Amino acid sequence: MKARNFRYVRPASLQEAYRMLAEAGGEAVPIAGGQSLLAGLNMRLSSPKVLVDIGNLAELTGQSYADGMVRLGALTRHRDLLSSAIVRAHLPLLAEAAPHIGHIAIRNRGTIGGSLAYADPAAELPACAVALGATLVLGSAKGERQVKAEDFFKGLFETDLRAGELIVEVKFPEVPTGTSTGFAELSRRHGDFALVGVAALAILRAGDIESARIVYFGCVDRARVAVSVSAALSGVAVPLEDASPYAAAIRNDVKPDDTPGLRADTKLHMATVLTRRVLNSMVE
Amino acid sequence: MASPAASTTGIGARIPRRELKRLLAGHGRYIDDIRLSRMLHAYFVRSPHPHAKLVSIDVQRASRAPGVAGVLTAVEINPRCEPFVGVALHRAGHRSAPQRLFAAERAVWQGQPAAIVLADSRAEAEDAAELVEIEWQPLPVVADQFQAIAPGAPVIHHGMPDNLAFDFTLEQGEPAKAFAEADVVIEEELRFERQMAMTLEPRGLIADFNPSDGSLTVIHAHQSPFQMQEIFANYLGIPEHKVRVVAPDIGGGFGLKLNVHCDEIATVVASVIFGRPVKFCVDRLESFVSDAQARDHRIKCRIGCKRTGEITAMEIDDIGAVGAYGMPMRFNVAEGMMAVVMTGAPYLFNSYKARTRSVYVNKNLIGMYRGVGMPLACIVGELLTDLAAHELGIDTVEFKRRNYRPKSTLPCVTPGGQRLETVSFHECLERLVGLMDYDKLRREQRELRERGIHRGIGIGTFCEQTAYGPPYYGPSGAAISTQDGCTLRLEPSGSVRCLTSLTDQGQGTLTAVAQIVAETLGIPVDDVSVAGNDSAISTYGGGAWASRGTAVGGEAALRASTILKENILSLASAITQTPADELSLANGQVINSKTGLSVISLAEVGRIGYFRQDTLPKDFDVQLSVNASFVANDKPYYMANGVQASYVEVDTDTGFIRLLGQWAVDDCGRVVNPLLVDEQVRGGTVQGIGAVLFEECIYSEDANLLNGTMADYLVPMAYEMPDIVVSHVETPETSTRLGAKGIGEAGLIGAMGAVWVAVNDALRPLGARITHQPFTPERVLDALARAKLR
Amino acid sequence: MGDVELIGDEEVEVVATLNGKPLKRRAKARQHLADFLRQELELTGTHLGCEHGICGACTVLIDGRTARGCLTLTAQISGKSVETIEGLSDNGRLAELQQEFIARNAAQCGFCSSGMLLTAYELVQGGEKLSRSEIREHISGNMCRCTGYHAIVDAIEAVLAKGLR
C-alpha cells in the first residue's frame, strides 16, 4: 500500500526542528532512519500530518568517550555500532547485539534514537540500553531533560517522550572492569525480530554470580530490568546446569502473552533456556 | 549429427538462460513496469470478515475523491461476467456454488472483493477506497474442515445440502485382510497448514479494452495466456479471436499465476466498462488476503508390514479445506486427489484404501501451487515406511532397496492407479546414498547422539506426474489445452525465428526450446530467437505449468525443427542438384554428409528461397516457415521420479531445526540444460524446506488471518538454507523423440518428504514425533513434551 | 501546520545525485524512493516485493550503502548520492557479479536480482575473504523465491575470489 498524504519538512537545525514539532502540536512525527516508521506508513497503520526530517541534523550525530561515559548521538546508525572502536572497547554488549538488528540495508539506515523512540519490545537496543543503565537526553523547544532508560519505556510501543520531544543522545556508563556482558536471542530467521532475547550484565566472582542485571526482549511488553530474576541469580554458581529453578522468577518478570504461533508458556520456556545460555556464555 | 557449434549450445549443454543478461541489468519488463496512455489504476475494497452479510454499500464519497474515475460494485460488475462453477465434470459428485466476481449480498471469505476503485494513480485509488462505506453484519464462520463437516455446521452456500465439495474413495486388493495379517501396523495423523506460493512479484495485469473495435488485449502476469484468452472470451462474451493475452516478464509463478482470480477478471470488466486500460497490481498486503492459497489438509494414514519387511497394505484418509468456492478451471480437489492416488507409488504393495474429501470453509480459495498434493503423498509414504522400517529393525535405505518397485516390474499400475513406465527408484537411491555418504552420516549421527546432539537423516522418494495430457484435463470439461505448438521461420540470413506457445517465468523454457531448435538445425543457439507468452501469435498451447514446458513445448519445437530441416534440405537439394538424403545441416551450412564439406550456406538457401524462386524448378514448393503441434493423445502424464535426503539437527531445548545438508537426485528423463535444471531443483528444494519449517497462514479460530505481512509469514531466506547437491539419472520418456519429462515440482516434493522424515529421525531417540506442518519451534517443543508425558 | 489533508499530495523539492548525475525535482512527500524511481523517472529496474522492508527487492545504494527503497522517502535523499541497478550495471565489480550470476544461473525470474546484486556489490566492495555462511548472512535480507540461494552464494564467492587474487 501507499502511505497517506503528509507534509514533509526538513529543519536546518535542532532548534528549528523543535520549533516545527511544537508548531504542529502533536500532529508531527520526527523521522530519522525511518526503518520502522515508513513500514507503518506504507501499511496505513498511522497517519501523521507532518514528518519532520531530523536525519541530517549534525547536533544529533557523533560519538565520544570521556570520564567513563560513552555518548552516542541519536543518529548513530546500527552499522556504526559494529564499526565503532569506542563501542567495541567500552560497550561490547552493543557490538554483540548489533548484528542481530534486521539486515545490512536496515542497519545502514536505522538509528539508535529511532529504535529507542519506537520502543518495539522485540527490538535489541531498548533492552541493551536498559541493561547498560543508559540515560536518554530528550530535547524540545522547552529545553532538555534526562531520563533513565529503565524509566523511558512505558509499555508496548509507549515511551516517556512528550509531544514535540526528540531523543538527542544516549549516554552509556562504561561497563566496569569485572562486569561481564552477555547477549542472545532466538529468532526464526537471521535478522527477524526475536521471539525471545536476553541482554545481561553480571559480576562474576570465583564461579558465582555476585550480581546480575537481566533484561528480556521479544517476550515482554517493554524493556525493563527483570528484577526477580536478577535478584534470584545473586550468589548462584555458574555455569548453570539448568535454569528451571528460576522459571518462576522469569515468569514474574516477563509475563508474556500468547501471540500468533507462539504461546506464552513456550516463550517462558525459551526465556529460561536463553537465561542459562547467556549466563554460561559469560563464564567463558 | 550435431555440429561442434551446436554441441556446445544444443541439447544437454549448460548454457545460461538467455533472458538473464537483460533481467540482471534491470531491463526486465514486468507487469508493473508497463504503463499505457489513459491508464487507470485499480484498488479493491474487500470484505474484512470471513463471513458477513453486506447490509449496505455507499460509494458516493469515494467517487468524488481526487483522481477517481469511478467506483464499481457488484451491481455493475457481476452482470458482466458469467458465474464460475469450479467443478471437474469427471469427478462424480464434485460440486460448488456459482462464484460471482464480487460479494453482492454476502461475503464468504476474508478478502472477497466488494468494490473496485479506479483512479489516476494507485495512491489515489487507495485514498478513495478508505471512503467507501460498507456496513457488514458478521455471520457464523466455518473455519476448518472438521467444523465444516460437523453435524449442524452452518452451510456456507445456500442451496447446497452441506459443505462437502467432493468425496472420493478408492480400494484395491484386500486392505482389511492385509492389515489384519500385518505383523506391524503404524498409524499417524498428519496436519498441513495453509500456505502461499508467495511469488516475489505479486499478481498483476493490465486490461485494455478498445471500445471502437471491441478488441481486448490483456497484458497478464499469467502462466497460461491461452487459458485466460478462453476465459475472457467466454465469460465476458467477447469473440475469442478479438481477445489477446500477452504475458510480460513474470516474477515467478509456481502455480499461483495459473489460477483464475476474481479480482483479475473484475479488472478486465472495469476496462470494458470504462473503455480505458486498467492496471491492477496486487501489493503484498493484498496478496495475503486475495491470492489462492495451498494445502490445508488433515490426513490419517497407516501402513502394514510383515516381519520380513514386505509392505502388505497402506491406507490414507484425507480431508482438505478448499476455501469458499471451487477454483475455476483448476479445481481445488486436485490437492486431495493427488495425495491419495500418489501415496506409496514408489513401493511394491497390493492392498490400498484411500479416501479424500474436500470441504468448503470461510477462507480464500485453494488453488494450484507447486507440487499439488504430491508432497503430501511423498510425506505419507516416506514417513510411514521410515517408521515401519525402524519398527522392524531394518535400516531405512535397506527397506527401500527391498520395497521399491524394480525396473523388472515395469510398466505397471500402482494401487493408486498410477502407470509407471520409465521410473528409476533404485538407481536414484544408490546415487543418493553415494553422494551423501549415508553410512558415514549414520555413524556421525550415532556418535553425536551419545553427546546429546540430535541429528536426523531423512529420505524422500517421490513420483511426479509431469506434463499432463488430454486424458487428464480433457474429461474435466475445462478448456485447458495440454498441447503445445511451435512455429519456425528460416530468415533470409540463415538465422531462425521461433514462436512457441510456451511461457517462461524463470525456468528457462524458452532457452531450452532455442537449444532444441539449434541442435536440430545445426546452428549456434545465438542464431535462434524465441518468442512466446502471447496467445495471438503462436500456435495454440498450454504454457509453462505442471512441469510441462520443455517436455511438451520442447517436443513441439523438436518436431517443427525436424520439418524445417527437411524443407531446407529439399530446397538445398534443388539448388545444388544433390540428392537430399546426402545432405545434412551443421555450423550454419548444408553439408555433404559423406565428406562433411559445405555444399551451400543456410544464408544462401534463405536468399534463394525468398528472393530467387525464379531460379528453382517450376512448381518447386518452398516452405521455410513451418509449424508443429504436439501432444501425446493417450498419456495422462509423464511420470518422473527422484529421491532427496536431508541432514538436520534439532535443538531440543529451543525446538529450533537447522538444515546441515541436502542432496537431490532426480530423473526427469533427458536433461536439455543441466545448468537451468540444477538451480530449479534447488529452488524447489528451498520452497519445500520453507513449507516444512516456516510457511503458514495463521488463522484465528474464527478464520481471521493473523499474519498478513512478510514480517510474520516466514519464507526461507539465504542464511538458514543449506548448500544443495544435485544429480540426475536420465531415463528418457518413450512417447516423445525428445525424451524429456518435467522437473519443476520435483525439488519441492522430495525436499518436503526428506525434511519430515529427518526431523522425526532426530526426535526418535526421545520418543517424540512431529506431524504438524510447519515444524515450528513450539510444535517441536510440544512434541518433546508429549513424549516426556508418555 | 495542521492544515494538511490526509488525501491529496503535498510536494517537496529534492536535490540529489542519481547515478552520478545531478537530480532536481519536485516529488510527492508521501512517495517512497522506489516509487519515485519507478513512476517519476521510469527507472523500473528497482522492484517492489513487499513495501514493508522485508523482501529486499527495492534495494538501492545511498551514499554507497544499501538501503530499502520502500523504507526511504524520496525527500530523504536530498543532498545524497543514489545509485540504482541502471547506473551501476555493466561496470566494474557489478559487471563481474552480473557475469557470475549469469554463468551460474543465480537468477530465474529476475525479480529479486537488482536488489540481490546491489546487496552483493556492497559486500564485494569490502574485499574481505568470507565464508559461504558469512555471504549467506549478508544477503539474508534479500528474498529469492526461485533459486535455492546456492548459485547466488557461488557467484558472490567467485567474485570475492577474483578480488583476492
Side-chain angles (χ1 to χ4, degrees):
Chain A
M1 283 175 84
K2 311 300 180 192
R4 295 192 186 99
N5 186 40
F6 51 76
R7 181 169 299 161
Y8 169 94
V9 291
R10 193 186 299 126
S13 70
L14 185 56
Q15 288 308 319
E16 193 184 355
Y18 289 152
R19 200 166 57 244
M20 287 171 159
L21 287 166
E23 267 175 41
E27 305 221 66
V29 167
I31 177 168
Q35 299 302 282
S36 299
L37 178 64
L38 283 187
L41 293 182
N42 289 351
M43 293 188 197
R44 298 194 172 215
L45 295 176
S46 63
S47 33
K49 291 198 167 177
V50 181
L51 288 197
V52 180
D53 187 350
I54 58 169
N56 296 302
L57 297 179
E59 297 100 312
L60 302 180
T61 61
Q63 40 180 284
S64 65
Y65 169 75
D67 304 329
M69 185 70 77
V70 176
R71 306 171 81 104
L72 298 179
L75 291 180
T76 303
R77 296 190 194 274
H78 306 322
R79 75 148 187 272
D80 299 333
L81 302 177
L82 285 164
S83 59
S84 157
I86 291 176
V87 169
R88 218 172 19 249
H90 305 289
L91 302 170
L93 182 68
L94 283 188
E96 209 179 331
H100 296 273
I101 306 172
H103 305 283
I104 180 75
I106 303 291
R107 295 196 292 272
N108 283 340
R109 303 285 301 157
T111 66
I112 190 167
S115 176
L116 298 180
Y118 191 62
D120 189 322
E124 289 81 3
L125 292 182
C128 290
V130 171
L132 290 166
T135 298
L136 282 66
V137 179
L138 311 180
S140 72
K142 293 177 187 160
E144 286 189 354
R145 64 187 180 109
Q146 303 204 356
V147 179
K148 286 189 166 251
E150 54 197 276
D151 300 324
F152 180 74
F153 300 103
K154 296 288 188 192
L156 198 64
F157 299 103
E158 262 182 63
T159 69
D160 193 43
L161 274 173
R162 297 167 191 162
E165 212 167 36
L166 289 173
I167 299 175
V168 177
E169 71 172 5
V170 191
K171 302 196 301 186
F172 292 91
E174 173 181 32
V175 176
T177 316
T179 298
S180 310
T181 59
F183 181 90
E185 68 172 61
L186 288 175
S187 59
R188 294 294 302 282
R189 302 170 305 179
H190 182 79
D192 284 357
F193 276 113
L195 306 179
V196 171
V198 183
L201 263 63
I203 300 171
L204 305 169
R205 290 259 154 80
D208 286 346
I209 298 170
E210 189 176 288
S211 71
R213 186 177 167 92
I214 309 283
V215 181
Y216 294 94
F217 56 101
C219 50
V220 290
D221 70 338
R222 64 185 192 269
R224 58 178 171 175
V225 178
V227 181
S228 315
V229 181
S230 302
L233 288 170
S234 177
V236 168
V238 279
L240 278 173
E241 190 68 8
D242 180 9
S244 54
Y246 313 102
I250 295 171
R251 178 191 303 275
N252 195 43
D253 289 333
V254 167
K255 298 188 188 71
D257 291 326
D258 291 348
T259 43
L262 200 63
R263 294 187 312 268
D265 65 286
T266 310
K267 291 181 193 176
L268 271 177
H269 170 85
M270 289 175 169
T272 308
V273 171
L274 272 202
T275 302
R276 184 193 78 217
R277 288 187 178 176
V278 163
L279 290 170
N280 291 353
S281 76
M282 290 158 72
V283 182
E284 287 147 17
Chain B
M1 289 296 290
S3 69
S7 67
T8 53
T9 61
I11 297 171
R14 299 178 68 89
I15 67 164
R17 183 175 175 226
R18 284 146 44 105
E19 292 80 4
L20 278 193
K21 192 167 193 309
R22 180 171 60 80
L23 298 179
L24 266 58
H27 294 156
R29 187 182 289 176
Y30 302 90
I31 187 68
D32 201 23
D33 302 341
I34 301 168
R35 60 169 95 164
L36 305 182
S37 51
R38 298 178 67 239
M39 186 174 82
L40 293 169
H41 295 258
Y43 183 70
F44 288 85
V45 180
R46 298 170 185 277
S47 170
H49 304 288
H51 192 191
K53 184 177 173 195
L54 200 168
V55 180
S56 67
I57 183 163
D58 183 350
V59 301
Q60 291 301 314
R61 279 181 68 209
S63 306
R64 291 193 300 268
V68 171
V71 183
L72 306 173
T73 67
V75 175
E76 295 87 13
I77 293 284
N78 285 358
R80 299 276 191 150
C81 179
E82 291 293 317
F84 292 95
V85 182
V87 299
L89 298 180
H90 66 314
R91 303 288 186 210
H94 186 198
R95 63 189 183 211
S96 171
Q99 184 191 357
R100 290 291 191 169
L101 295 182
F102 277 8
E105 288 94 37
R106 256 188 334 140
V108 290
W109 47 277
Q110 188 179 45
Q112 189 175 7
I116 179 173
V117 181
L118 298 140
D120 293 336
S121 73
R122 169 75 185 209
E124 287 169 319
E126 290 181 14
D127 290 344
E130 296 191 331
L131 304 176
V132 173
E133 290 163 22
I134 306 184
E135 188 188 339
W136 297 100
Q137 195 177 86
L139 295 168
V141 167
V142 176
D144 69 35
Q145 44 271 76
F146 294 134
Q147 277 182 25
I149 55 167
V155 177
I156 295 173
H157 293 293
H158 308 152
M160 278 178 61
D162 51 36
N163 295 314
L164 190 66
F166 182 56
D167 189 347
F168 171 86
T169 53
L170 168 77
E171 192 164 323
Q172 281 292 314
E174 297 176 284
K177 183 160 168 273
F179 274 113
E181 287 171 5
D183 297 316
V184 167
V185 174
I186 307 275
E187 198 166 337
E188 272 302 336
E189 287 192 38
L190 318 181
R191 184 167 175 183
F192 300 87
E193 295 293 347
R194 279 192 166 225
Q195 60 171 109
M196 301 188 64
M198 199 59 71
T199 54
L200 184 55
E201 175 205 47
R203 298 181 290 116
L205 75 164
I206 299 171
D208 182 10
F209 180 75
N210 188 327
S212 55
D213 64 5
S215 68
L216 172 70
T217 302
V218 182
I219 308 170
H220 201 166
H222 202 276
Q223 293 169 245
S224 183
F226 290 95
Q227 172 190 312
M228 297 317 292
Q229 171 185 300
E230 199 274 342
I231 285 185
F232 297 140
N234 289 340
Y235 284 82
L236 306 186
I238 302 169
E240 186 155 18
H241 64 285
K242 292 193 172 187
V243 179
R244 177 182 190 183
V245 181
V246 186
D249 288 326
I250 295 183
F254 314 121
L256 170 69
K257 292 172 184 169
L258 188 56
N259 294 302
V260 179
H261 288 91
C262 54
D263 51 14
E264 296 175 14
I265 315 282
T267 302
V268 178
V269 171
S271 175
V272 172
I273 290 173
F274 281 84
R276 292 173 67 173
V278 178
K279 175 190 272 191
F280 172 52
C281 288
V282 177
D283 78 11
R284 185 57 60 194
L285 298 184
E286 280 178 302
S287 83
F288 278 103
V289 294
S290 67
D291 285 4
Q293 299 178 337
R295 318 301 184 226
D296 200 348
H297 282 256
R298 306 283 196 100
I299 294 176
K300 276 190 200 172
C301 53
R302 59 179 182 149
I303 188 170
C305 289
K306 287 288 196 192
R307 246 327 121 232
T308 52
E310 149 203 2
I311 301 170
T312 62
M314 291 181 90
E315 180 173 351
I316 172 170
D317 185 355
D318 162 66
I319 176 164
V322 297
Y325 292 103
M327 174 58 70
M329 306 286 273
R330 294 288 171 174
F331 313 131
N332 43 21
V333 298
E335 191 119 55
M337 280 302 295
M338 293 291 270
V340 301
V341 301
M342 298 292 282
T343 288
Y347 294 94
L348 281 167
F349 68 107
N350 297 317
S351 291
Y352 183 49
K353 190 174 172 189
R355 182 183 192 190
T356 177
R357 281 170 288 175
S358 295
V359 299
Y360 292 118
V361 295
N362 289 119
K363 286 180 181 167
N364 195 357
L365 279 59
I366 291 290
M368 297 291 104
Y369 169 52
R370 204 175 203 175
V372 190
M374 293 186 281
L376 312 189
C378 173
I379 288 161
V380 170
E382 293 305 276
L383 185 68
L384 289 180
T385 53
D386 185 79
L387 294 172
H390 189 262
E391 188 71 23
L392 295 165
I394 304 171
D395 176 80
T396 198
V397 165
E398 180 54 29
F399 184 92
K400 288 178 193 310
R401 285 182 181 131
R402 287 193 215 167
N403 285 292
Y404 276 167
R405 291 178 180 276
K407 278 240 157 100
S408 59
T409 63
L410 304 179
C412 68
V413 175
T414 70
Q418 301 303 295
R419 189 173 166 82
L420 309 184
E421 295 175 350
T422 56
V423 288
S424 55
F425 303 118
H426 287 91
E427 283 164 272
C428 288
L429 180 69
E430 297 311 326
R431 177 83 59 87
L432 181 85
V433 163
L435 279 176
M436 67 191 286
D437 202 343
Y438 178 79
D439 294 334
K440 182 173 156 243
L441 285 188
R442 280 285 180 216
R443 275 197 305 277
E444 184 175 282
Q445 179 190 32
R446 273 193 301 275
E447 287 162 18
L448 289 171
R449 271 177 182 167
E450 285 165 23
R451 290 162 42 195
I453 294 169
H454 296 278
R455 292 194 175 174
I457 298 167
I459 294 178
T461 317
F462 63 95
C463 289
E464 184 195 355
Q465 292 182 352
T466 73
Y468 293 115
Y472 188 88
Y473 266 107
S476 75
I480 291 172
S481 182
T482 49
Q483 75 159 35
D484 270 298
C486 178
T487 305
L488 293 177
R489 182 170 92 205
L490 182 72
E491 297 294 300
S493 61
S495 58
V496 173
R497 276 185 204 271
C498 170
L499 273 176
T500 171
S501 60
L502 290 177
T503 55
D504 192 337
Q505 301 88 45
Q507 306 93 326
T509 44
L510 302 188
T511 299
V513 162
Q515 287 177 264
I516 292 162
V517 171
E519 166 126 354
T520 314
L521 295 176
I523 54 178
V525 76
D526 287 346
D527 285 357
V528 183
S529 72
V530 181
N533 303 309
D534 189 333
S535 78
I537 60 169
S538 78
T539 305
Y540 204 88
W545 44 270
S547 304
R548 67 184 304 282
T550 302
V552 183
E555 179 71 9
L558 180 62
R559 291 180 182 222
S561 45
T562 305
I563 299 169
L564 181 58
K565 178 180 175 181
E566 283 166 11
N567 292 2
I568 290 168
L569 294 183
S570 148
L571 176 55
S573 165
I575 296 168
T576 61
Q577 300 297 306
T578 315
D581 59 9
E582 289 177 15
L583 300 175
S584 61
L585 299 176
N587 284 329
Q589 306 284 322
V590 179
I591 60 167
N592 184 307
S593 306
K594 285 183 198 148
T595 64
L597 297 174
S598 172
V599 177
I600 185 172
S601 70
L602 277 184
E604 185 63 3
V605 171
R607 188 185 69 81
I608 294 170
Y610 287 115
F611 309 129
R612 293 307 310 269
Q613 298 91 329
D614 58 311
T615 65
L616 296 171
K618 183 173 177 305
D619 297 334
F620 184 89
D621 188 18
V622 181
Q623 294 294 341
L624 295 177
S625 292
V626 304
N627 184 66
S629 294
F630 174 76
V631 73
N633 293 353
D634 61 337
K635 283 218 146 185
Y637 44 73
Y638 305 157
M639 190 67 87
N641 68 284
V643 61
Q644 282 210 23
S646 302
Y647 190 40
V648 306
E649 184 172 314
V650 179
D651 181 336
T652 52
D653 280 343
T654 62
F656 275 61
I657 297 165
R658 195 155 62 98
L659 258 298
L660 303 171
Q662 189 79 19
W663 299 264
V665 178
D666 62 75
D667 187 344
C668 61
R670 195 169 184 189
V671 177
V672 175
N673 185 331
L675 178 66
L676 306 189
V677 168
D678 285 358
E679 199 61 21
Q680 197 183 358
V681 168
R682 291 196 183 101
T685 299
V686 161
Q687 270 183 30
I689 295 170
V692 182
L693 299 189
F694 295 117
E695 297 189 36
E696 176 181 7
C697 301
I698 304 175
Y699 283 91
S700 67
E701 283 178 3
D702 49 0
N704 284 293
L705 183 68
L706 301 177
N707 63 335
T709 77
M710 287 203 72
D712 305 305
Y713 182 99
L714 308 183
V715 296
M717 302 293 264
Y719 187 69
E720 287 72 27
M721 292 301 111
D723 281 344
I724 302 162
V725 177
V726 178
S727 180
H728 307 282
V729 170
E730 295 189 51
T731 315
E733 166 62 29
T734 52
S735 66
T736 63
R737 297 178 203 160
L738 183 61
K741 305 171 203 169
I743 190 64
E745 295 152 282
L748 178 142
I749 300 167
M752 286 179 70
V755 179
W756 262 73
V757 174
V759 173
N760 277 290
D761 185 51
L763 297 179
R764 196 182 334 251
L766 302 161
R769 208 171 278 173
I770 182 163
T771 55
H772 185 172
Q773 178 183 292
F775 296 170
T776 63
E778 178 161 281
R779 290 186 186 132
V780 173
L781 291 172
D782 286 352
L784 289 164
R786 279 196 304 273
K788 269 187 198 151
L789 288 175
R790 269 203 290 273
Chain C
M1 278 210 276
D3 58 335
V4 182
E5 295 292 331
L6 293 179
I7 286 184
D9 273 306
E10 293 279 325
E11 290 197 348
V12 62
E13 173 104 342
V14 177
V15 182
T17 305
L18 176 64
N19 291 330
K21 298 196 179 103
L23 173 86
K24 189 172 176 204
R25 295 280 286 224
R26 300 287 295 171
K28 294 178 183 126
R30 63 163 148 173
Q31 196 167 43
H32 57 62
L33 178 58
D35 267 350
F36 176 73
L37 293 167
R38 293 177 49 76
Q39 295 176 10
E40 309 302 324
L41 307 181
E42 300 191 34
L43 293 172
T44 53
T46 302
H47 299 146
L48 283 171
C50 74
E51 280 188 292
H52 45 267
I54 308 293
C55 78
C58 63
T59 304
V60 297
L61 298 182
I62 299 178
D63 289 343
R65 298 206 182 253
T66 53
R68 302 281 203 235
C70 74
L71 295 187
T72 308
L73 289 176
T74 309
Q76 284 180 291
I77 67 165
S78 272
K80 301 190 186 338
S81 170
V82 174
E83 286 160 299
T84 69
I85 186 71
E86 289 90 348
L88 288 169
S89 187
D90 301 329
N91 273 306
R93 301 230 84 182
L94 197 83
E96 290 177 34
L97 282 166
Q98 286 169 320
Q99 284 155 18
E100 293 295 342
F101 269 58
I102 291 167
R104 291 156 200 278
N105 201 39
Q108 281 167 39
C109 79
F111 203 77
C112 74
S113 300
S114 306
M116 192 68 84
L117 283 166
L118 295 195
T119 302
Y121 179 78
E122 182 182 35
L123 186 68
V124 301
Q125 292 289 81
E128 289 173 69
K129 181 168 170 50
L130 297 167
S131 68
R132 288 178 74 83
S133 175
E134 287 167 321
I135 295 171
R136 284 179 180 276
E137 181 178 340
H138 187 86
I139 61 168
S140 65
N142 289 73
M143 170 189 173
C144 170
R145 193 60 161 167
C146 297
T147 74
Y149 295 110
H150 185 124
I152 295 172
V153 178
D154 284 350
I156 296 171
E157 204 175 27
V159 173
L160 280 170
K162 277 186 202 166
L164 293 171
R165 270 202 298 273

